[in-house]
């Protein structure tokens, strides 16, 4: 039994044309093919950005599963996967689960064999972890004390704010000196260190790092703008407007 009345005719598809990947079925197929897993989070959660950016650099797709805090993460199904009800949480395509922004980002960054995101060798891998620990340990607390009152999330404490500004400047000074001689934090390409540091510094640059402040730390600002203007960052963060 013949499937064609005549010889079959095949239409070649130019994969380089911008219209090629607008086919909904092909887009869905490619996402599934390149999927690394699912991330459970609420809308605009800044703690998921580092994993999503890492996935973009690895050419991988992460499905975002919407979570309503105190509702979704209190269900039996959610707690079966993530016993503490953490948000964000991640489920890999093989069923592996992990929680915590840094742990998820590290898994995603490492999920592609040969990815440079974790550094090109053991020394660079250690440096990546060093910078991740630095910005999370030093800048994240400063962000809470300096920026959260501006957002109306907590009451302003003048003493805590002054300390936060000094702590931020101390870290920025160290980063500025390092970036005077380096394009990126580790090695010659973007790593998870850059991704994490950009995400942590994002609201500083949006809210309080005015032109005068930025001019004190020109090397950090150059690096920051280099990163946020790359497609992988822009896909997740959008256009970054400076204070």
């Amino acid at each position: 039994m013949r499937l064609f009345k005549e010889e079959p005719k095949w239409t070649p598809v130019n994969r380089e044309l911008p219209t090629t990947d607008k086919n909904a079925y092909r887009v869905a197929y490619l996402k599934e093919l390149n999927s690394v897993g699912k991330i459970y989070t609420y809308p605009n959660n800044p703690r998921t950005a580092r994993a999503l950016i890492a996935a973009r650099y690895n050419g991988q797709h992460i499905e975002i599963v919407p979570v309503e805090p105190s509702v979704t993460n209190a269900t039996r199904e959610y707690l079966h996967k993530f016993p503490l009800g953490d948000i964000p949480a991640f489920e890999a395509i093989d069923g592996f689960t992990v929680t915590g922004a840094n742990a998820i980002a590290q898994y995603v960054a490492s999920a592609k064999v040969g990815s440079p995101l974790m550094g090109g060798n053991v020394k660079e891998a250690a440096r990546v972890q060093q910078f991740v620990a630095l910005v999370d340990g030093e800048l994240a607390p400063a962000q809470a004390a300096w920026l959260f009152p501006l957002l109306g999330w907590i009451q302003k404490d003048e003493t805590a704010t002054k300390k936060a500004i000094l702590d931020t400047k101390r870290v920025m000074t160290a980063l500025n000196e390092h970036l005077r001689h380096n394009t990126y934090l580790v090695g010659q390409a973007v790593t998870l260190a850059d991704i994490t540091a950009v995400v942590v510094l994002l609201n500083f640059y949006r809210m309080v790092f005015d032109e005068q402040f930025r001019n004190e730390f020109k090397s950090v600002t150059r690096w920051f703008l280099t990163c946020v203007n790359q497609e992988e960052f822009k896909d997740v963060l959008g256009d970054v407007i400076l204070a």
Side-chain angles (χ1 to χ4, degrees):
M1 174 177 157
R2 289 179 60 87
L3 296 178
F4 303 95
K5 290 183 178 180
E6 302 175 2
E7 290 300 311
K9 297 181 176 65
W10 307 105
T11 303
V13 176
N14 187 344
R15 300 299 185 195
E16 296 182 358
L17 291 177
T19 55
T20 301
D21 284 342
K22 289 185 179 180
N23 182 291
Y25 296 102
R26 173 174 164 76
V27 170
Y29 167 74
L30 289 175
K31 284 183 177 180
E32 184 176 351
L33 187 67
N34 295 322
S35 176
V36 68
K38 305 174 183 178
I39 193 163
Y40 296 76
T41 185
Y42 51 83
N44 302 316
N45 182 355
R47 292 175 59 77
T48 64
R50 57 190 76 177
L52 296 175
I53 295 168
R56 294 296 197 285
Y57 273 99
N58 280 345
Q60 296 171 321
H61 172 70
I62 295 180
E63 178 184 349
I64 298 176
V65 181
V67 171
E68 184 179 352
S70 301
V71 178
T72 310
N73 59 327
T75 63
R76 181 179 298 180
E77 180 184 5
Y78 195 94
L79 293 173
H80 177 72
K81 294 180 180 180
F82 314 108
L84 296 179
D86 296 306
I87 305 173
F90 180 83
E91 181 180 12
I93 55 175
D94 63 358
F96 171 76
T97 58
V98 66
T99 61
N102 278 339
I104 295 170
Q106 181 167 334
Y107 177 87
V108 173
S110 306
K112 181 179 179 181
V113 177
S115 170
L117 290 179
M118 296 305 298
N121 53 56
V122 66
K123 292 180 180 179
E124 289 189 357
R127 287 291 188 205
V128 169
Q129 293 302 320
Q130 173 184 309
F131 281 110
V132 169
L134 172 67
V135 296
D136 269 340
E138 299 289 339
L139 291 178
Q143 181 185 58
W146 189 359
L147 304 188
F148 286 8
L150 299 178
L151 294 167
W153 294 352
I154 61 173
Q155 192 73 25
K156 184 175 182 179
D157 182 318
E158 290 290 348
T159 301
T161 299
K162 289 179 180 179
K163 181 179 184 304
I165 293 172
L166 291 174
D167 288 345
T168 301
K169 286 187 173 183
R170 177 172 56 84
V171 175
M172 289 288 286
T173 299
L175 292 177
N176 201 64
E177 180 61 25
H178 177 75
L179 289 166
R180 281 181 58 204
H181 312 287
N182 299 278
T183 303
Y184 298 106
L185 290 177
V186 181
Q188 301 302 313
V190 167
T191 65
L192 189 60
D194 301 287
I195 294 171
T196 302
V198 165
V199 170
V200 171
L201 284 167
L202 183 62
N203 280 337
F204 285 103
Y205 271 98
R206 281 174 167 168
M207 297 174 62
V208 293
F209 286 2
D210 57 19
E211 185 175 2
Q212 180 179 348
F213 190 99
R214 296 195 300 270
N215 284 337
E216 292 183 45
F217 307 102
K218 291 183 178 179
S219 295
V220 182
T221 300
R222 182 268 309 157
W223 157 84
F224 180 84
L225 293 175
T226 297
C227 291
V228 298
N229 282 299
Q230 293 188 27
E231 182 180 352
E232 292 82 359
F233 278 91
K234 296 188 78 167
D235 283 348
V236 176
L237 304 178
D239 292 326
V240 176
I241 308 300
L242 304 181

